[in-house]
Amino acid sequence: QVQLVGSGGGLVRAGGSLRLSCAASGRTFSTYAMGWFRQAPGKEREFVGAISRYGDRTSYADSVKGRFTVSRDNAKNTVYLQMNSLKPEDTAVYYCAAGPIYSSSTMSYVYWGQGTQVTVSS
């Protein structure tokens, strides 16, 4: 069992930056791939980025590529999402997730954080 607690969301102006964190419980963090997803009002949850168990691979949605960076610190059981050059269309609830497979699909992730709100004003 893994519990994920996300933090770092908030209100920021367009062009600004935020860093989300997701802290995991347990001693098996490094055995999981980690993903970030987001869900805007009235829309389906969508993939943002993912990182493999040891951080040697990352992938991103086209909409955030070049602006967002996923990283992890296995010693601290934490995964991060650095968001730069934020746009109003990035406004959403952001979720971290853990799963056995490095993937962009929500179906591959077993454990989910509670979500953290990111609002980007124009």
Side-chain angles (χ1 to χ4, degrees):
Q1 188 80 7
V2 176
Q3 291 186 321
L4 303 174
V5 179
S7 63
L11 173 64
V12 64
R13 289 192 175 188
S17 298
L18 280 175
R19 187 175 82 155
L20 304 184
S21 299
C22 177
S25 65
R27 295 178 292 178
T28 60
F29 178 71
S30 64
T31 67
Y32 292 100
M34 298 298 296
W36 285 96
F37 295 80
R38 67 187 182 186
Q39 188 165 18
K43 295 188 177 181
E44 292 188 355
R45 191 167 298 187
E46 65 174 6
F47 171 72
V48 174
I51 189 165
S52 58
R53 291 184 296 171
Y54 299 111
D56 54 321
R57 291 179 291 168
T58 56
S59 60
Y60 301 93
D62 287 344
S63 59
V64 307
K65 202 171 293 183
R67 300 188 297 122
F68 290 13
T69 303
V70 181
S71 61
R72 68 190 295 163
D73 185 337
N74 286 347
K76 295 182 178 179
N77 283 11
T78 303
V79 63
Y80 305 97
L81 179 66
Q82 177 67 45
M83 305 185 292
N84 299 328
S85 302
L86 282 160
K87 305 175 181 180
E89 50 264 44
D90 294 318
T91 296
V93 177
Y94 283 71
Y95 298 89
C96 59
I101 300 172
Y102 169 66
S103 169
S104 62
S105 170
T106 58
M107 301 295 289
S108 298
Y109 293 89
V110 178
Y111 304 104
W112 291 82
Q114 84 283 11
T116 184
Q117 177 70 47
V118 171
T119 302
V120 184
S121 64
S122 57

